[in-house]
Amino acid sequence: MPYKRHDLKCAREPFGAVVRGLKKWEFRRDDRGFEVGHDVFLHELIHAPGASRGSASPGVPSGRYVEARIIYLLRGPEFGIPEGFAVFSIEILNVHV
């Protein structure tokens, strides 16, 4: 299987949970060809100044990121996962904070 890297945006709260080892999975739209063995780089986003939670502005990169590897993958429409989405378990490789 060829190496593939996925750069993903991650809001501050779930990013912190990943860094602390509490969140070991991702629920994502399945539009990138995720596969077991692929690496994901989760880039922390912070709210843009003056933006409210849930606004159209997703935030700005903080410069912090986590390197992880997909170790288990489930795709919808199985197991309650909506069609077009995936849930995957991650193994942390490096934390850059």
Side-chain angles (χ1 to χ4, degrees), residues 24-97:
K24 300 177 182 188
W25 52 270
E26 286 292 313
F27 173 76
R28 297 285 176 151
R29 185 172 299 281
D30 192 15
D31 59 355
R32 297 172 180 255
F34 296 116
E35 294 294 341
V36 171
H38 286 183
D39 287 349
V40 292
F41 281 50
L42 299 173
H43 298 272
E44 180 188 41
L45 294 183
I46 54 175
H47 289 294
S52 62
R53 268 178 115 55
S55 70
S57 173
V60 294
S62 70
R64 297 171 15 135
Y65 66 97
V66 169
E67 297 175 49
R69 181 156 297 135
I70 297 173
I71 58 173
Y72 187 75
L73 173 71
L74 290 173
R75 289 191 160 89
E78 301 294 327
F79 306 105
I81 302 166
E83 187 167 352
F85 287 84
V87 176
F88 51 87
S89 299
I90 58 173
E91 171 186 34
I92 303 300
L93 303 174
N94 286 302
V95 176
H96 302 270
V97 294

